[in-house]
């Protein structure tokens, strides 16, 4: 079985091909280009390098968020386009779960963090036993101060991964993470493919029409619109 997976939820973009549960090939780019310019060429090059075509793919997968609003949309739209009309499963994977999977076969508490702006991070907590992950909470957006307090309450060593790791380390006051490989910190489509494989084995059978991005928060433009509305309402009330 072939699984083609994409990740474009942060600055780096990656694509990977999994064959029978094992990584076959992957491409990773972090050169500042927009994902709309890189994902399809990377996918084409990956398939050509491995001797497959998009029609050979059995399962399509992508990280559906949280993450960059634009990046999440581009990834979802790209995988929808690749899978369109092929009657193949299309599986969405939590970006945070895929990040935690980067660290396997580590053991212990894994804390993925992605920069959500406004002094917040997207986060979830997972416990790893060397082979499997156990989710400890839902994906969420919270302040680094709140995360610092929660990790202090848990009071055990932990790993940080994700594009918000450096920001989080600099802002933590009560706790300090274990060292993590730089390679494992960034989003990786291999981990997305592995998570999708497990979901497929568990019976997931969504299609391209059902694939939905997960933002956790309103896009910035929508937040600003609501803030303007609230400000205008306040001004009128004071008049």
């Amino acid at each position: 079985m072939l699984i083609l997976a994409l990740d474009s939820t942060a600055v780096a973009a990656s694509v990977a091909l999994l064959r029978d549960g094992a990584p076959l090939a992957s491409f990773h780019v972090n050169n500042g280009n927009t994902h709309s310019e890189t994902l399809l060429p990377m996918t084409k090059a990956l398939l050509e390098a491995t001797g497959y075509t998009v029609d050979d793919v059995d399962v399509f997968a992508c990280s559906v968020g949280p993450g960059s609003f634009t990046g999440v949309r581009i990834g979802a739209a790209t995988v929808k386009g690749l899978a369109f009309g092929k009657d193949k499963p299309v599986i969405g994977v939590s970006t945070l779960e895929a990040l935690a999977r980067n660290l396997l076969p580590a053991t212990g508490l894994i804390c993925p963090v992605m920069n959500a702006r406004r002094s917040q991070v997207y986060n979830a907590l997972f416990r790893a036993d060397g082979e499997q992950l156990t989710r400890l909470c839902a994906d969420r957006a919270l302040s680094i101060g709140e995360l610092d307090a929660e990790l202090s309450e848990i009071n055990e060593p932990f790993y940080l991964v994700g594009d918000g790791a450096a920001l989080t380390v600099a802002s933590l006051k009560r706790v300090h993470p274990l060292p993590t490989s730089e390679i494992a910190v960034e989003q990786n489509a291999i981990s997305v493919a592995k998570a999708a494989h497990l979901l497929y084995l568990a019976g997931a059978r969504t299609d391209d029409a059902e694939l939905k991005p997960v933002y956790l928060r309103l896009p910035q433009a929508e937040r600003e619109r609501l803030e303007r509305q609230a400000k205008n309402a306040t001004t009128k009330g004071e008049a």
Side-chain angles (χ1 to χ4, degrees), residues 32-229:
N33 287 350
T34 63
H35 298 322
S36 60
E37 297 173 335
T38 57
L39 273 183
L40 279 176
M42 287 169 64
T43 301
K44 180 181 178 182
L46 180 79
L47 291 169
E48 289 178 349
T50 54
Y52 291 103
T53 71
V54 70
D55 291 328
D56 295 318
V57 175
D58 298 298
V59 177
F60 296 86
C62 74
S63 47
V64 290
S68 156
F69 291 105
T70 301
V72 169
R73 285 196 299 270
I74 290 172
T78 301
V79 83
K80 280 173 173 282
L82 291 168
F84 181 75
K86 293 181 170 58
D87 195 28
K88 302 284 184 69
V90 181
I91 297 176
V93 173
S94 161
T95 310
L96 296 167
E97 179 179 343
L99 279 167
R101 196 164 294 280
N102 283 0
L103 290 187
L104 292 177
T107 59
L109 185 65
I110 301 178
C111 179
V113 284
M114 299 182 67
N115 189 354
R117 314 298 177 187
R118 296 193 170 195
S119 301
Q120 287 191 323
V121 289
Y122 299 122
N123 165 259
L125 297 176
F126 299 85
R127 192 170 301 284
D129 65 5
E131 295 183 1
Q132 303 294 331
L133 293 175
T134 299
R135 179 182 281 274
L136 303 182
C137 66
D139 292 356
R140 58 200 178 162
L142 75 171
S143 72
I144 297 176
E146 290 172 318
L147 180 61
D148 191 18
E150 182 174 343
L151 291 171
S152 177
E153 187 75 19
I154 295 173
N155 192 28
E156 67 176 86
F158 65 96
Y159 297 95
L160 277 180
V161 291
D163 71 340
L167 170 69
T168 303
V169 167
S171 302
L172 291 174
K173 305 298 183 184
R174 309 181 192 186
V175 293
H176 302 283
L178 296 166
T180 306
S181 165
E182 186 174 318
I183 295 175
V185 168
E186 288 189 342
Q187 284 77 355
N188 188 324
I190 291 177
S191 294
V192 175
K194 288 184 174 181
H197 184 228
L198 290 175
L199 288 169
Y200 180 84
L201 293 178
R205 295 294 186 274
T206 52
D207 60 23
D208 58 292
E210 296 172 305
L211 186 72
K212 304 294 183 185
V214 177
Y215 298 121
L216 292 186
R217 293 193 326 193
L218 292 173
Q220 181 177 347
E222 181 66 11
R223 293 199 306 269
E224 291 176 350
R225 184 184 68 82
L226 293 173
E227 287 170 359
R228 287 195 300 270
Q229 286 182 343

Side-chain angles (χ1 to χ4, degrees), residues 24-36:
L24 182 63
S26 67
F27 287 174
H28 184 95
V29 174
N30 190 357
N31 62 359
N33 287 350
T34 63
H35 298 322
S36 60

